Amino acid sequence: PENRLVQEGLNDSLLVQQGKIIPLSIEERATYDNPDSSLTFIKAFEPTGFIAGMMKRRGLFDEENRRNEDAEVRDLSLSGNRRGKGNSVGRPLSFDVKPAVRFNRVEAAHLGASLETRVRKTALTFRGEGGYNTGTKRWFYGGGFEWKMGWRKRHVIFTRYMNGSEPRYESALYNNTMASMPSLIGQSDYYDFMLNEKVKLGYRLEIRNRQKIAMSAALNVERHRPVLKQTDFALFGLNRTQRPNPAVTAGNLRSMAFDFHFGEKPSAFSPERFRHISLRTELSHPDLLQSQFDFTRTRLALAWRVNTLFERRMLPNTLDIRLTGGFTTGAPPIQRFGILDGAIGGAGQYGVFRSLRGQPYEGQHYAGLFWDHNFRTIPFEILGIESLSRRGIGLSVFGGHGRTWISKARL
């Protein structure tokens, strides 16, 4: 047997010397003889440290989301959340309460909470939220429900109501809480805001195999109003004069939105989720429930990752590519313009213009291409700089290219 192993290893480029094989240790041999099929990579090599701790609490390392959604009991995830029937035995309802806190130049302190209630032995989920904005001195509130039905709960009926302030443009990468930090320390506030009272009613088809596919259609009934900037406050006396909050086009918006999404939902500083295709079309016309706007808006986002060099390594070199764009016809209001994201504060990530600080580019039409090649530690290994490579310090080369268009009639 030993000779057979040697012969099979003769052509292995990973051997230091051809024909020489390092024997397994006692621990390694025991592992191979008694494999643990329930042990995943992320559990065997659990990340540690401050940033890893925050990511665990957000559930970014949880792997049970990829399992069969019909499973009745699921393992305890790294975030400490146990899902399924295991945590609600004997209870007709299960509750999940989360804080809703952010800060910006319009709302000032946005203080509230959200509640999610699941009805046991059904696929019905209720959601509610509420709180107070110290800047506008307005209460905000909302709620809705989601009902999954059919085989593997693939068919979803959902509705949502909201009355309060919200960003007038949508970022695919940043959430409101993340955008709060720059203005708190005296840097530019990222979002512009508007007042909105809206109802959304829709249907979604979800298919989960190796990748998630979701298709939806929804009716939007909204009432838009402008709101003024309220504060220049920042912590530690770092106050700066923030830019005014631009006024939106006031009116009643009625629209139909159609969405298609393939892959995981993208999020900031999470490039492993940048494998997706997303397409959205929104149509608004005066004949649709007497809408005061007339436009059609389409946007596309495509992102993918390919392995390039040293593919036999556990972490090979990778090339990430993100293509995003959109166009509108008719007369869209400013609150339906599209954007190309910039960097928030001093942090720049893949998929944004890292040299554009504090606000995005926006326009009726837009197109952007972003790429990032991660060489990992390879350059420092080749140069023999072990002090960097052993610490996992790598090298990335990146770029971003894009443009937005606004018609002369809108300038």
Side-chain angles (χ1 to χ4, degrees), residues 66-91:
R66 296 182 179 272
R67 302 180 187 176
N68 188 336
E69 293 189 359
D70 293 333
E72 295 187 354
V73 179
R74 296 174 178 170
D75 295 334
L76 186 66
S77 66
L78 289 179
S79 64
N81 300 319
R82 188 184 295 275
R83 301 190 177 113
K85 293 184 178 179
N87 70 330
S88 58
V89 175
R91 300 180 183 178

Side-chain angles (χ1 to χ4, degrees), residues 167-237:
R168 68 171 177 85
Y169 44 76
E170 181 181 357
S171 169
L173 302 176
Y174 301 130
N175 58 43
N176 294 332
T177 302
M178 181 179 297
S180 298
M181 297 308 298
S183 56
L184 273 175
I185 57 176
Q187 298 183 8
S188 296
D189 196 4
Y190 189 77
Y191 283 113
D192 294 334
F193 293 84
M194 67 177 183
L195 297 177
N196 193 6
E197 182 178 13
K198 64 181 181 180
V199 175
K200 184 174 186 178
L201 175 64
Y203 163 80
R204 182 171 67 250
L205 173 64
E206 296 180 348
I207 302 174
R208 269 193 179 272
N209 293 315
R210 295 188 63 183
Q211 293 287 346
K212 180 178 179 180
I213 299 175
M215 295 172 281
S216 68
L219 171 67
N220 299 304
V221 178
E222 306 183 12
R223 184 163 68 100
H224 298 171
R225 291 164 292 164
V227 61
L228 298 175
K229 184 187 81 168
Q230 302 296 327
T231 183
D232 293 316
F233 172 80
L235 296 175
F236 316 117

Side-chain angles (χ1 to χ4, degrees), residues 14-88:
L14 295 180
L15 293 175
V16 178
Q17 290 181 312
Q18 291 188 351
K20 299 294 184 180
I21 294 180
I22 301 175
L24 298 176
S25 66
I26 297 176
E27 293 81 3
E28 291 171 334
R29 189 174 297 278
T31 300
Y32 281 114
D33 292 340
N34 302 284
D36 184 357
S37 59
S38 66
L39 189 65
T40 63
F41 177 85
I42 202 67
K43 290 181 180 178
F45 302 94
E46 182 176 345
T48 60
F50 175 73
I51 295 178
M54 292 192 299
M55 297 177 73
K56 289 177 191 176
R57 288 189 290 273
R58 292 175 57 191
L60 295 182
F61 294 133
D62 295 355
E63 300 188 15
E64 71 272 17
N65 291 333
R66 296 182 179 272
R67 302 180 187 176
N68 188 336
E69 293 189 359
D70 293 333
E72 295 187 354
V73 179
R74 296 174 178 170
D75 295 334
L76 186 66
S77 66
L78 289 179
S79 64
N81 300 319
R82 188 184 295 275
R83 301 190 177 113
K85 293 184 178 179
N87 70 330
S88 58

Side-chain angles (χ1 to χ4, degrees), residues 319-331:
L319 174 64
D320 286 301
I321 299 175
R322 180 172 185 258
L323 175 66
T324 181
F327 66 92
T328 59
T329 60

Side-chain angles (χ1 to χ4, degrees), residues 315-344:
L315 297 176
N317 290 187
T318 57
L319 174 64
D320 286 301
I321 299 175
R322 180 172 185 258
L323 175 66
T324 181
F327 66 92
T328 59
T329 60
I334 188 175
Q335 57 267 33
R336 282 301 192 263
F337 281 14
I339 68 167
L340 296 174
D341 277 300
I344 284 185

